Amino acid sequence: SLLAGLHDRGVSAAISTDAGRYLCNYIFYYSLHLNRRRGVPVLFVHVPLFEKMKKANQVSAILNILMLMADQLRRRQGERGRANGGSASGSPTNTGLPKSFKPMG
């Protein structure tokens, strides 16, 4: 799961059923509403204030989330490709991230 992958990389994260109030709540539930019929997964991420988590750690955490999501999508595409008679590989070849990027963990 995404949460386990984040924990494996040293990112402090938790699942919550509270998207917050007003704008955050609206964005999350409207995204769910729009994408339900399309079968598109929705992820809403709340990040703490910089006083609680340094900006560099927030950037690293978000990049880790994006990398884990990309890995999950590649695996799903690979599974679909194999199910349809193809031989799609689920392993990433190029993340597109700068070589200096070092994920947490």
Side-chain angles (χ1 to χ4, degrees), residues 7-58:
H7 288 166
D8 290 347
R9 293 172 180 225
V11 177
S12 177
I15 293 175
S16 172
T17 58
D18 183 4
R21 304 291 177 259
Y22 192 60
L23 189 57
C24 293
N25 192 51
Y26 173 79
I27 290 169
F28 178 57
Y29 284 99
Y30 191 67
S31 297
L32 286 172
H33 171 73
L34 286 178
N35 292 297
R36 183 184 65 187
R37 288 174 270 153
R38 298 177 186 145
V40 175
V42 172
L43 175 68
F44 185 86
V45 177
H46 253 160
V47 293
L49 299 172
F50 291 139
E51 292 82 26
K52 295 191 180 223
M53 183 181 204
K54 293 180 182 176
K55 183 179 179 180
N57 291 348
Q58 287 188 22

Side-chain angles (χ1 to χ4, degrees), residues 9-11 60-61 63-64 67 97 100-105:
R9 293 172 180 225
V11 177
S60 182
L63 288 172
N64 274 288
M67 288 177 21
L97 293 171
S100 62
F101 172 70
K102 292 183 174 67
M104 295 173 82

